[in-house]
Amino acid sequence: MVSKETKIVNKEGFHMRPANNFIREMAKFKSAVTFDVAGKEVNAKSIMNIMAACIKCGTVLTVKADGEDEQAALDKAVELIESGLGDPE
């Protein structure tokens, strides 16, 4: 398992459009991807779980990936989050 702490920079937080963009990219990986948000584990490949977590701008979370392509999955997840989740400004 690999993990990295990062911060949500999208000014609207992890709302529906960026969550959909995120899970579409994560579906390309075989590894399990989760977020640790304030001590709560969230399945980062589930739009319902991401939406239920109500992740706002400025939230610091830990992204975790576990599986055969874990490093690539982690790198892509962090890249997406730190670039604003593919949402236009």
Side-chain angles (χ1 to χ4, degrees), residues 33-77:
V33 181
T34 59
F35 298 146
D36 184 333
V37 183
K40 182 179 177 186
E41 193 87 2
V42 176
N43 177 353
K45 287 187 164 186
S46 165
I47 196 159
M48 296 304 290
N49 288 349
I50 291 173
M51 297 309 300
C54 297
I55 304 169
K56 309 277 187 230
C57 181
T59 300
V60 175
L61 52 85
T62 302
V63 181
K64 299 177 184 177
D66 188 21
E68 63 186 75
D69 55 1
E70 60 190 22
Q71 190 62 55
L74 177 68
D75 292 344
K76 185 62 175 179

